């Protein structure tokens, strides 16, 4: 667009755990915003915390994004490969006296914190090393030694920003103290690396979880100290458990990879999209979401993770799956009719196992064949008559239904016809209509199963 900066957003996960649903939702909203505005969705791995970051977590995050088909633009950026950039930025701050080395010991800082706590003051360190004489003493341009860390020289001021979702937010800089930005020139701390990266990647909008709101004032001060323009900030509401506590595994808030066995990516995308945004309809494709998405309309308050809703959405997407695709996904070697019978009724893919009678002979006790207080003889007679119907009828719903209904009238008891037939075909008390099962099994298998039930009686 002429005269306007190209919109660039990013997902910047730390590979210190598997990707959870909150990060997936951030990815989706960033992606929607980029698509809506003809911008770019970039991807950065924040792996500066060497001890807690692993390649395995990184790989799982990449796979989760690929599974959800949230494609990022360009190469994956790794913080671990950008140390030189952080070093340069740190040196610049030292040269401009915006940052200084502090060698207060752990014990000194601990004592200070305790005193602050006792006096009900905010925990912060306003550092004496920043005063000019101390600057002189502790001001080497390179790493001075193990006991030093780099701090930003923070002046008293109000820090304000206009959050796209939450409106104006104000912080008091003095509450932060002279916070640390690096352990050494080669060990930048989290907030510092984020600012250097976002600035160098040309990020125009930092859209991220609300849990990062407390980092924003620090990041703003770092931008200002480096003389860099600020991005626009937008903090997304958190995803909560039904009791509004932090979402955990217990509530169904699993790692994204865990959803793969049960859910279709489109269903999860639809669900996550609608969690913190009101789209015009409940079942909505990502393309339709792009058209409607307006960052200013993302909800402010936390969204409750409702697994029932997710399951319902999933069932709607499963219903639309062509039999072939369903069979590929579940690795089931069944007829198209059997696949359709399952997809009509499934909430989660793994539950397809409940329909195992469609591909393997059911096991059941003969007691189950009994309808209410009928005796075995009556059941046997009914099944023998059903067998005749099934043998004679053409394999269509209408033909089988007509035959079985006629039989029900003759025997004066519909249950006595349909119940034993259901059990003979499925081995279950609850199943889809036995006629649908017969159609899915085919004539030969249906006959075989009824004969087997008769032989049990
Ligand atoms: N690395 C942070 C996280 O995994 C995200 C930082 C950001 O988006 O600014 O939560």
């Amino acid at each position: 667009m002429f005269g306007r900066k190209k919109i660039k957003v990013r997902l910047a996960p730390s590979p210190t755990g598997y990707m959870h649903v909150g990060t997936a939702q951030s990815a989706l909203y960033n992606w929607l915003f980029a698509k809506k505005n003809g911008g770019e969705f970039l991807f950065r791995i924040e792996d500066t915390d060497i001890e807690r970051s692993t390649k395995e977590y990184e790989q799982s995050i990449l796979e989760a994004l690929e599974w959800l088909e949230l494609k990022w633009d360009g190469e994956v950026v790794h913080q671990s490969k950008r140390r030189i950039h952080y070093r340069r930025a740190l040196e610049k701050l030292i040269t401009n006296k915006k940052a200084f080395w502090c060698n207060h010991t752990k014990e000194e800082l601990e004592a200070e914190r305790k005193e602050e706590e006792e006096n009900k003051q905010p925990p912060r360190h306003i550092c004496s090393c920043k005063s000019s004489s101390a600057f002189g003493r502790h001001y080497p341009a390179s790493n001075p030694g193990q006991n030093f860390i780099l701090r930003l020289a923070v002046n008293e001021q109000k820090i304000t920003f206009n959050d796209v979702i939450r409106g104006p937010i104000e912080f008091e800089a003095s509450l932060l103290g002279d916070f640390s930005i690096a352990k050494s020139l080669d060990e930048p701390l989290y907030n510092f690396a984020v600012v250097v990266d976002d600035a160098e990647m040309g990020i125009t909008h930092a859209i991220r979880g609300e849990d990062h709101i407390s980092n924003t004032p620090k990041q703003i001060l770092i931008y200002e100290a480096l003389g860099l323009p600020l991005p626009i900030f937008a903090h997304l509401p958190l995803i909560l458990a039904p009791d509004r506590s932090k979402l955990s595994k217990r509530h169904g808030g699993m790692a994204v990879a865990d959803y793969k066995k049960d859910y279709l990516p489109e269903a999860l995308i639809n669900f996550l999209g609608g969690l913190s945004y009101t789209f015009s309809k409940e079942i909505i494709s990502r393309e339709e979401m792009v058209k409607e998405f307006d960052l200013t309309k993302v909800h402010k308050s936390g969204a409750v993770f409702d697994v029932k809703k997710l399951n319902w959405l999933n069932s709607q997407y499963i219903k639309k799956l062509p039999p072939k695709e369903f069979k590929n996904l579940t690795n089931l070697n069944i007829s198209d009719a059997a696949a359709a019978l399952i997809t009509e009724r499934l909430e989660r893919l793994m539950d397809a196992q409940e329909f195992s009678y469609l591909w393997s002979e059911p096991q059941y006790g003969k007691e189950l064949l009994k309808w209410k207080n009928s005796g075995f003889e009556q059941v046997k007679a009914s099944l023998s008559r059903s067998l005749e119907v099934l043998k004679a009828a053409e394999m269509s719903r209408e033909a089988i239904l007509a035959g079985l209904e006629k039989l029900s009238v003759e025997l004066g008891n519909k249950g006595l016809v349909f119940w034993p037939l259901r059990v003979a075909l499925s081995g279950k008390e609850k199943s889809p209509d036995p006629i649908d099962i017969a159609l899915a099994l085919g004539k030969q298998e249906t006959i075989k199963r009824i004969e087997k039930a008769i032989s049990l009686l």
Side-chain angles (χ1 to χ4, degrees), residues 80-112:
S80 54
K81 295 186 185 142
R82 292 181 37 80
R83 294 203 185 276
I84 183 69
H85 298 261
Y86 310 133
R87 190 184 175 100
R88 272 194 217 122
L90 288 168
E91 280 170 348
K92 184 175 162 193
L93 287 188
I94 298 170
T95 309
N96 295 340
K97 302 208 169 184
K98 305 265 181 177
F100 61 93
W101 293 106
C102 154
N103 71 340
H104 280 102
T105 62
K106 251 194 190 145
E107 292 71 30
E108 285 171 324
L109 294 173
E110 198 59 48
E112 188 180 273

Side-chain angles (χ1 to χ4, degrees), residues 10 12-14 44 46 190 194 198 207-208 211-212 219:
R10 83 303 193 264
S14 311
R44 178 171 79 229
E46 303 210 313
Y190 172 72
V194 170
D198 281 347
I207 307 171
R208 58 188 175 203
D211 44 337
H212 286 287
Q219 292 180 8

